[in-house]
């Protein structure tokens, strides 16, 4: 659960119940600073002389606001639209793409006009009838750590559970899923867990849940009947990588219920980086040991037009073969969506 050091309330946010509830929860806590702003100039309220310090202070800052533009971003290829409930994340994963995307605004922002956001989702669903419309709830965030304050996942899951023509999905590196277990999801929400070996998590994924807590949470969600998926990302090649990824998959397969109604999905993404990301990462984590030696990688243009440094082709082939064989061996009912 996210425990902020400061909370910035944007103008109008206290007109909504969720905004008021967040204020009531924190207003008497001496160690949480409450700031009310009337403009959208948030940065001046977050201390830090340089990027390094601003990142760390930003990650401890919760911004409470109402989503003004209700035009949803598209979210191809995994969904039709992003569901804009939250942006940012308390985690401090060294490789996180939010470091590039959110830049010097790494704070967590929650949108309190959840009913308006869901009403807008309904319009998008109706426009595409009789097709099914898929919404992604974690395109620019990890929504789980702020769920105790917003209940926005809860509202979204119940909303999509009632709608035959919509599906919802989100991904998390956290384990606080207990409040979601008894909801009437009707199998319309897929919860994906981003997992990795303990070596990778301990070294690069600061302030996230441990490997075993994520596995435990995924088992709870599976037992609650949610369609379940795993994002194994980023995959790193290091001594013993095969043993450790095998151990991770084995631990999962031994604990998952055997009578799942839907296949367990897997998305496997090998480590990659852009030059822009590398620059930012090295400012925020100057001691980072992320393998980012350009000479050892292959430079490849991605579908969005910018180049990335990916593992060499023979490494990617080895990763593909390893994961496809392991998953096939260990999970009876599986669907490997892609290995890249
Ligand atoms: Fe980024 Fe996910 Fe880590 Fe949060 S948990 S910092 S969204 S990679």
């Amino acid at each position: 659960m996210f425990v902020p050091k400061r909370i910035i309330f944007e103008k109008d946010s206290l007109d909504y119940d969720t905004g008021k509830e967040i204020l009531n929860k924190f207003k008497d806590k001496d160690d949480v600073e409450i700031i009310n702003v009337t403009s959208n100039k948030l940065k001046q309220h977050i201390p830090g002389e340089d990027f390094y310090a601003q990142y760390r202070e930003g990650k401890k800052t919760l911004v409470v606001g109402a989503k003004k533009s209700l035009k949803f971003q598209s979210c191809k290829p995994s969904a039709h639209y992003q569901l804009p409930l939250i942006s940012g994340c308390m985690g401090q994963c060294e490789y996180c793409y939010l470091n590039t995307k959110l830049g010097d605004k790494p704070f967590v922002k929650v949108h309190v006009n959840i009913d308006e956001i869901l009403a807008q989702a309904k319009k998008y669903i109706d426009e595409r009838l009789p097709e099914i419309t898929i919404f992604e709830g974690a395109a620019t965030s990890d929504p789980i750590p702020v769920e105790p304050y917003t209940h926005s996942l809860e509202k979204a899951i119940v909303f999509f559970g009632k709608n035959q023509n919509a599906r919802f999905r989100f991904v998390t590196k956290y384990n606080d899923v207990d409040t979601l277990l008894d909801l009437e999801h009707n199998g319309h929400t897929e919860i994906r867990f981003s997992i990795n070996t303990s070596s990778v998590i301990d070294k690069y994924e600061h302030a996230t849940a441990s490997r075993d807590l994520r596995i435990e949470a995924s088992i709870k969600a599976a037992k609650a009947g949610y369609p379940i998926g795993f994002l194994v990302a980023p995959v790193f090649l290091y001594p013993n990588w095969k043993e450790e990824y095998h151990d991770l998959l084995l631990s999962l397969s031994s604990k998952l219920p055997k009578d799942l109604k839907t296949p367990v999905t897997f998305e496997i993404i090998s480590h990659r980086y852009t030059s822009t990301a590398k620059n930012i990462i090295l400012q925020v984590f100057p001691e980072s040991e992320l393998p980012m030696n350009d000479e050892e990688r292959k430079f490849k243009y991605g579908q969005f037009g910018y180049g990335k440094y990916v593992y060499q082709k023979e490494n990617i082939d080895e990763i593909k073969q390893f994961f496809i064989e392991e998953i096939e061996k260990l999970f009876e009912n599986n669907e490997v969506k892609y290995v890249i």
Side-chain angles (χ1 to χ4, degrees):
M1 186 163 100
F2 181 39
V3 183
K5 186 170 166 187
R6 71 186 62 76
I7 308 181
I8 301 177
F9 288 89
E10 285 186 342
K11 194 166 153 268
D12 303 340
S13 62
L14 294 171
D15 295 344
Y16 296 85
D17 288 346
T18 303
K20 287 182 203 141
E21 283 163 22
I22 297 174
L23 179 63
N24 283 334
K25 203 175 212 79
F26 288 98
K27 68 177 192 305
D28 298 323
K29 294 206 187 325
D30 294 340
D31 48 355
V32 181
E33 187 187 359
I34 303 286
I35 302 163
N36 289 293
V37 293
T38 46
S39 72
N40 56 3
K41 289 191 186 113
L42 302 174
K43 255 186 76 180
Q44 66 200 55
H45 300 284
I46 303 173
E49 293 286 293
D50 52 20
F51 201 40
Y52 177 95
Q54 281 158 8
Y55 172 87
R56 282 158 181 77
E57 289 298 331
K59 285 281 182 179
K60 293 179 200 147
T61 304
L62 177 65
V63 177
V64 181
K67 178 97 179 92
K68 286 169 196 79
S69 161
L70 288 175
K71 186 175 177 330
F72 292 5
Q73 303 279 317
S74 76
C75 194
K76 287 175 185 158
S78 61
H80 296 99
Y81 295 105
Q82 301 180 12
L83 190 72
L85 299 174
I86 292 148
S87 76
C89 170
M90 65 174 266
Q92 300 191 17
C93 301
E94 295 185 12
Y95 57 76
C96 178
Y97 89 108
L98 293 183
N99 296 342
T100 315
K101 188 167 171 71
L102 301 179
D104 60 352
K105 300 182 191 68
F107 47 76
V108 182
K109 181 166 186 191
V110 298
H111 294 133
V112 289
N113 51 338
I114 302 160
D115 295 337
E116 290 166 17
I117 293 170
L118 294 176
Q120 180 65 25
K122 175 81 169 63
K123 287 187 191 158
Y124 284 116
I125 297 165
D126 290 345
E127 273 173 17
R128 287 179 37 84
L129 286 174
E131 301 295 321
I132 285 183
T133 304
I134 306 171
F135 294 85
E136 168 62 59
T140 58
S141 69
D142 190 314
I144 285 282
V146 284
E147 178 61 13
Y149 308 134
T150 60
H151 308 287
S152 55
L153 284 177
E154 179 182 326
K155 287 177 187 148
I157 290 169
V158 171
F159 169 83
F160 289 110
K162 287 187 188 138
N163 199 311
Q164 287 305 326
N165 295 94
R167 298 290 180 272
F168 182 45
R169 63 202 310 260
F170 65 88
V171 61
T172 184
K173 280 184 165 69
Y174 293 88
N175 61 312
D176 312 299
V177 295
D178 289 3
T179 55
L180 309 180
L181 300 179
D182 295 329
L183 303 177
E184 290 205 16
H185 56 77
N186 286 325
H188 294 179
T189 292
E190 181 194 31
I191 307 184
R192 283 130 69 230
F193 290 85
S194 172
I195 52 169
N196 221 313
T197 65
S198 292
S199 301
V200 170
I201 293 172
D202 295 347
K203 201 164 178 182
Y204 305 124
E205 299 184 353
H206 315 295
T208 63
S210 68
R211 183 197 93 146
D212 290 346
L213 284 175
R214 293 183 211 178
I215 293 178
E216 193 186 299
S218 71
I219 308 302
K220 285 185 192 169
K223 286 184 177 162
Y226 282 99
I228 290 294
F230 293 97
L231 194 70
V232 188
V235 172
F236 289 97
L237 300 185
Y238 59 92
N240 294 336
W241 68 273
K242 284 188 180 168
E243 284 84 346
E244 294 195 9
Y245 282 106
H246 166 77
D247 190 51
L248 170 70
L249 295 171
L250 182 65
S251 178
L252 260 183
S253 73
S254 65
K255 292 180 181 133
L256 272 176
K258 301 291 170 234
D259 56 346
L260 295 176
K261 290 199 189 87
T262 50
V264 185
T265 64
F266 286 91
E267 296 159 84
I268 317 286
I269 307 174
S270 58
H271 178 241
R272 60 220 29 241
Y273 60 90
T274 62
S275 295
T276 312
K278 180 175 169 178
N279 273 335
I280 293 174
I281 290 167
L282 293 176
Q283 287 178 62
V284 180
F285 298 99
E287 311 289 326
S288 178
E289 291 180 24
L290 278 171
M292 294 191 293
N293 185 348
D294 300 354
E295 275 79 56
E296 289 172 9
R297 296 295 182 99
K298 185 178 150 186
F299 187 73
K300 194 177 161 197
Y301 278 102
Q303 57 170 322
F304 300 110
Y306 50 83
K308 296 174 187 180
Y309 290 93
V310 301
Y311 278 116
Q312 298 289 349
K313 182 175 180 314
E314 57 273 23
N315 297 139
I316 304 267
D317 289 345
E318 199 181 359
I319 291 172
K320 276 189 185 156
Q321 193 189 2
F322 170 79
F323 277 98
I324 289 171
E325 282 178 13
E326 286 285 321
I327 290 168
E328 208 41 57
K329 221 167 36 196
L330 292 170
F331 299 87
E332 221 166 85
N333 189 7
N334 76 74
E335 183 194 342
V336 178
K337 294 203 160 176
Y338 53 83
V339 185
I340 55 170

